[in-house]
mmCIF file of all heavy atoms in Angstrom:
data_model
loop_
_atom_site.group_PDB
_atom_site.id
_atom_site.type_symbol
_atom_site.label_atom_id
_atom_site.label_comp_id
_atom_site.label_asym_id
_atom_site.label_seq_id
_atom_site.Cartn_x
_atom_site.Cartn_y
_atom_site.Cartn_z
ATOM 1 N N ARG A 163 -90.157 -139.362 -8.474
ATOM 2 C CA ARG A 163 -90.230 -138.060 -7.816
ATOM 3 C C ARG A 163 -89.146 -137.102 -8.298
ATOM 4 O O ARG A 163 -89.276 -135.884 -8.148
ATOM 5 C CB ARG A 163 -90.139 -138.247 -6.298
ATOM 6 C CG ARG A 163 -91.355 -138.912 -5.682
ATOM 7 C CD ARG A 163 -91.124 -139.278 -4.231
ATOM 8 N NE ARG A 163 -90.211 -140.418 -4.104
ATOM 9 C CZ ARG A 163 -89.909 -141.015 -2.959
ATOM 10 N NH1 ARG A 163 -90.446 -140.559 -1.827
ATOM 11 N NH2 ARG A 163 -89.089 -142.054 -2.918
ATOM 12 N N LEU A 164 -88.096 -137.639 -8.861
ATOM 13 C CA LEU A 164 -87.001 -136.779 -9.321
ATOM 14 C C LEU A 164 -87.471 -135.796 -10.389
ATOM 15 O O LEU A 164 -86.986 -134.665 -10.453
ATOM 16 C CB LEU A 164 -85.848 -137.634 -9.851
ATOM 17 C CG LEU A 164 -85.044 -138.374 -8.780
ATOM 18 C CD1 LEU A 164 -84.152 -139.430 -9.420
ATOM 19 C CD2 LEU A 164 -84.207 -137.390 -7.961
ATOM 20 N N LYS A 165 -88.408 -136.201 -11.239
ATOM 21 C CA LYS A 165 -88.924 -135.291 -12.271
ATOM 22 C C LYS A 165 -89.580 -134.071 -11.628
ATOM 23 O O LYS A 165 -89.403 -132.939 -12.092
ATOM 24 C CB LYS A 165 -89.928 -136.009 -13.163
ATOM 25 C CG LYS A 165 -89.330 -137.110 -14.032
ATOM 26 C CD LYS A 165 -90.410 -137.796 -14.849
ATOM 27 C CE LYS A 165 -89.815 -138.893 -15.724
ATOM 28 N NZ LYS A 165 -90.861 -139.609 -16.505
ATOM 29 N N PHE A 166 -90.328 -134.306 -10.584
ATOM 30 C CA PHE A 166 -90.995 -133.225 -9.856
ATOM 31 C C PHE A 166 -89.967 -132.240 -9.313
ATOM 32 O O PHE A 166 -90.044 -131.026 -9.552
ATOM 33 C CB PHE A 166 -91.822 -133.836 -8.724
ATOM 34 C CG PHE A 166 -92.421 -132.863 -7.759
ATOM 35 C CD1 PHE A 166 -93.644 -132.273 -8.009
ATOM 36 C CD2 PHE A 166 -91.768 -132.559 -6.567
ATOM 37 C CE1 PHE A 166 -94.217 -131.387 -7.108
ATOM 38 C CE2 PHE A 166 -92.334 -131.676 -5.653
ATOM 39 C CZ PHE A 166 -93.552 -131.090 -5.925
ATOM 40 N N TYR A 167 -88.985 -132.757 -8.598
ATOM 41 C CA TYR A 167 -88.016 -131.875 -7.942
ATOM 42 C C TYR A 167 -87.077 -131.209 -8.940
ATOM 43 O O TYR A 167 -86.741 -130.022 -8.786
ATOM 44 C CB TYR A 167 -87.231 -132.658 -6.885
ATOM 45 C CG TYR A 167 -88.078 -132.993 -5.680
ATOM 46 C CD1 TYR A 167 -88.593 -134.273 -5.490
ATOM 47 C CD2 TYR A 167 -88.393 -132.015 -4.743
ATOM 48 C CE1 TYR A 167 -89.387 -134.572 -4.393
ATOM 49 C CE2 TYR A 167 -89.193 -132.305 -3.640
ATOM 50 C CZ TYR A 167 -89.688 -133.583 -3.473
ATOM 51 O OH TYR A 167 -90.482 -133.858 -2.397
ATOM 52 N N LYS A 168 -86.663 -131.933 -9.961
ATOM 53 C CA LYS A 168 -85.781 -131.327 -10.962
ATOM 54 C C LYS A 168 -86.500 -130.229 -11.734
ATOM 55 O O LYS A 168 -85.910 -129.191 -12.061
ATOM 56 C CB LYS A 168 -85.266 -132.399 -11.930
ATOM 57 C CG LYS A 168 -84.208 -133.311 -11.335
ATOM 58 C CD LYS A 168 -83.730 -134.315 -12.387
ATOM 59 C CE LYS A 168 -82.583 -135.165 -11.876
ATOM 60 N NZ LYS A 168 -82.097 -136.121 -12.892
ATOM 61 N N GLY A 169 -87.778 -130.455 -12.034
ATOM 62 C CA GLY A 169 -88.548 -129.434 -12.743
ATOM 63 C C GLY A 169 -88.673 -128.164 -11.915
ATOM 64 O O GLY A 169 -88.477 -127.050 -12.422
ATOM 65 N N ILE A 170 -88.963 -128.313 -10.638
ATOM 66 C CA ILE A 170 -89.086 -127.145 -9.763
ATOM 67 C C ILE A 170 -87.748 -126.427 -9.619
ATOM 68 O O ILE A 170 -87.684 -125.187 -9.626
ATOM 69 C CB ILE A 170 -89.638 -127.564 -8.386
ATOM 70 C CG1 ILE A 170 -91.112 -127.977 -8.516
ATOM 71 C CG2 ILE A 170 -89.498 -126.433 -7.366
ATOM 72 C CD1 ILE A 170 -91.719 -128.523 -7.253
ATOM 73 N N LEU A 171 -86.669 -127.191 -9.509
ATOM 74 C CA LEU A 171 -85.346 -126.573 -9.375
ATOM 75 C C LEU A 171 -85.022 -125.701 -10.587
ATOM 76 O O LEU A 171 -84.481 -124.592 -10.439
ATOM 77 C CB LEU A 171 -84.279 -127.654 -9.204
ATOM 78 C CG LEU A 171 -82.834 -127.165 -9.093
ATOM 79 C CD1 LEU A 171 -82.666 -126.220 -7.906
ATOM 80 C CD2 LEU A 171 -81.885 -128.350 -8.989
ATOM 81 N N LEU A 172 -85.376 -126.161 -11.766
ATOM 82 C CA LEU A 172 -85.138 -125.361 -12.972
ATOM 83 C C LEU A 172 -85.943 -124.069 -12.949
ATOM 84 O O LEU A 172 -85.468 -123.021 -13.399
ATOM 85 C CB LEU A 172 -85.462 -126.183 -14.225
ATOM 86 C CG LEU A 172 -84.495 -127.316 -14.559
ATOM 87 C CD1 LEU A 172 -85.037 -128.151 -15.716
ATOM 88 C CD2 LEU A 172 -83.107 -126.765 -14.918
ATOM 89 N N VAL A 173 -87.159 -124.136 -12.421
ATOM 90 C CA VAL A 173 -87.977 -122.920 -12.308
ATOM 91 C C VAL A 173 -87.330 -121.952 -11.327
ATOM 92 O O VAL A 173 -87.231 -120.738 -11.597
ATOM 93 C CB VAL A 173 -89.416 -123.261 -11.876
ATOM 94 C CG1 VAL A 173 -90.234 -121.970 -11.723
ATOM 95 C CG2 VAL A 173 -90.091 -124.188 -12.895
ATOM 96 N N ILE A 174 -86.878 -122.462 -10.196
ATOM 97 C CA ILE A 174 -86.239 -121.607 -9.184
ATOM 98 C C ILE A 174 -84.987 -120.948 -9.748
ATOM 99 O O ILE A 174 -84.736 -119.754 -9.548
ATOM 100 C CB ILE A 174 -85.896 -122.431 -7.924
ATOM 101 C CG1 ILE A 174 -87.177 -122.805 -7.168
ATOM 102 C CG2 ILE A 174 -84.952 -121.658 -6.995
ATOM 103 C CD1 ILE A 174 -86.974 -123.754 -6.006
ATOM 104 N N ASP A 175 -84.181 -121.732 -10.471
ATOM 105 C CA ASP A 175 -82.926 -121.208 -11.021
ATOM 106 C C ASP A 175 -83.129 -120.395 -12.293
ATOM 107 O O ASP A 175 -82.187 -119.748 -12.773
ATOM 108 C CB ASP A 175 -81.963 -122.364 -11.311
ATOM 109 C CG ASP A 175 -81.386 -122.975 -10.041
ATOM 110 O OD1 ASP A 175 -81.485 -122.323 -8.981
ATOM 111 O OD2 ASP A 175 -80.850 -124.092 -10.097
ATOM 112 N N GLY A 176 -84.357 -120.424 -12.842
ATOM 113 C CA GLY A 176 -84.629 -119.686 -14.075
ATOM 114 C C GLY A 176 -83.881 -120.245 -15.268
ATOM 115 O O GLY A 176 -83.484 -119.502 -16.182
ATOM 116 N N LYS A 177 -83.696 -121.556 -15.289
ATOM 117 C CA LYS A 177 -82.934 -122.199 -16.355
ATOM 118 C C LYS A 177 -83.816 -123.153 -17.162
ATOM 119 O O LYS A 177 -84.689 -123.819 -16.618
ATOM 120 C CB LYS A 177 -81.754 -122.982 -15.771
ATOM 121 C CG LYS A 177 -80.717 -122.127 -15.054
ATOM 122 C CD LYS A 177 -79.627 -123.010 -14.468
ATOM 123 C CE LYS A 177 -78.566 -122.193 -13.744
ATOM 124 N NZ LYS A 177 -77.532 -123.040 -13.116
ATOM 125 N N ASN A 178 -83.562 -123.206 -18.448
ATOM 126 C CA ASN A 178 -84.153 -124.199 -19.346
ATOM 127 C C ASN A 178 -85.653 -124.391 -19.106
ATOM 128 O O ASN A 178 -86.093 -125.463 -18.677
ATOM 129 C CB ASN A 178 -83.426 -125.536 -19.183
ATOM 130 C CG ASN A 178 -83.581 -126.422 -20.405
ATOM 131 O OD1 ASN A 178 -84.510 -126.232 -21.195
ATOM 132 N ND2 ASN A 178 -82.703 -127.385 -20.565
ATOM 133 N N PRO A 179 -86.458 -123.373 -19.395
ATOM 134 C CA PRO A 179 -87.898 -123.472 -19.117
ATOM 135 C C PRO A 179 -88.597 -124.607 -19.864
ATOM 136 O O PRO A 179 -89.550 -125.191 -19.334
ATOM 137 C CB PRO A 179 -88.440 -122.103 -19.541
ATOM 138 C CG PRO A 179 -87.401 -121.524 -20.435
ATOM 139 C CD PRO A 179 -86.096 -122.056 -19.950
ATOM 140 N N SER A 180 -88.134 -124.927 -21.059
ATOM 141 C CA SER A 180 -88.777 -126.024 -21.799
ATOM 142 C C SER A 180 -88.546 -127.359 -21.103
ATOM 143 O O SER A 180 -89.443 -128.212 -21.057
ATOM 144 C CB SER A 180 -88.263 -126.074 -23.243
ATOM 145 O OG SER A 180 -86.874 -126.319 -23.275
ATOM 146 N N GLU A 181 -87.348 -127.549 -20.555
ATOM 147 C CA GLU A 181 -87.066 -128.780 -19.810
ATOM 148 C C GLU A 181 -87.859 -128.812 -18.501
ATOM 149 O O GLU A 181 -88.377 -129.867 -18.104
ATOM 150 C CB GLU A 181 -85.569 -128.883 -19.517
ATOM 151 C CG GLU A 181 -85.156 -130.092 -18.695
ATOM 152 C CD GLU A 181 -85.324 -131.418 -19.424
ATOM 153 O OE1 GLU A 181 -85.636 -131.399 -20.643
ATOM 154 O OE2 GLU A 181 -85.167 -132.469 -18.784
ATOM 155 N N ALA A 182 -87.975 -127.673 -17.837
ATOM 156 C CA ALA A 182 -88.771 -127.606 -16.615
ATOM 157 C C ALA A 182 -90.219 -127.984 -16.894
ATOM 158 O O ALA A 182 -90.837 -128.775 -16.161
ATOM 159 C CB ALA A 182 -88.696 -126.200 -16.025
ATOM 160 N N GLU A 183 -90.771 -127.434 -17.964
ATOM 161 C CA GLU A 183 -92.149 -127.744 -18.348
ATOM 162 C C GLU A 183 -92.308 -129.225 -18.648
ATOM 163 O O GLU A 183 -93.261 -129.877 -18.200
ATOM 164 C CB GLU A 183 -92.547 -126.911 -19.567
ATOM 165 C CG GLU A 183 -93.960 -127.179 -20.066
ATOM 166 C CD GLU A 183 -94.264 -126.385 -21.321
ATOM 167 O OE1 GLU A 183 -93.345 -126.167 -22.145
ATOM 168 O OE2 GLU A 183 -95.434 -125.987 -21.492
ATOM 169 N N SER A 184 -91.359 -129.794 -19.386
ATOM 170 C CA SER A 184 -91.423 -131.205 -19.758
ATOM 171 C C SER A 184 -91.372 -132.104 -18.526
ATOM 172 O O SER A 184 -92.130 -133.072 -18.416
ATOM 173 C CB SER A 184 -90.270 -131.546 -20.706
ATOM 174 O OG SER A 184 -90.259 -132.925 -21.004
ATOM 175 N N LEU A 185 -90.482 -131.790 -17.592
ATOM 176 C CA LEU A 185 -90.348 -132.611 -16.390
ATOM 177 C C LEU A 185 -91.613 -132.571 -15.536
ATOM 178 O O LEU A 185 -92.094 -133.611 -15.069
ATOM 179 C CB LEU A 185 -89.152 -132.134 -15.567
ATOM 180 C CG LEU A 185 -87.765 -132.494 -16.113
ATOM 181 C CD1 LEU A 185 -86.691 -131.677 -15.414
ATOM 182 C CD2 LEU A 185 -87.499 -133.986 -15.943
ATOM 183 N N LEU A 186 -92.161 -131.381 -15.334
ATOM 184 C CA LEU A 186 -93.350 -131.267 -14.501
ATOM 185 C C LEU A 186 -94.560 -131.933 -15.157
ATOM 186 O O LEU A 186 -95.345 -132.617 -14.485
ATOM 187 C CB LEU A 186 -93.644 -129.796 -14.206
ATOM 188 C CG LEU A 186 -92.658 -129.120 -13.245
ATOM 189 C CD1 LEU A 186 -92.865 -127.610 -13.226
ATOM 190 C CD2 LEU A 186 -92.797 -129.693 -11.831
#
């Protein structure tokens, strides 16, 4: 579940979109 939450957190913070996409 950490991948789900970490990916969303990156979207909220507007950081590292490629990592957010990869995690989700």
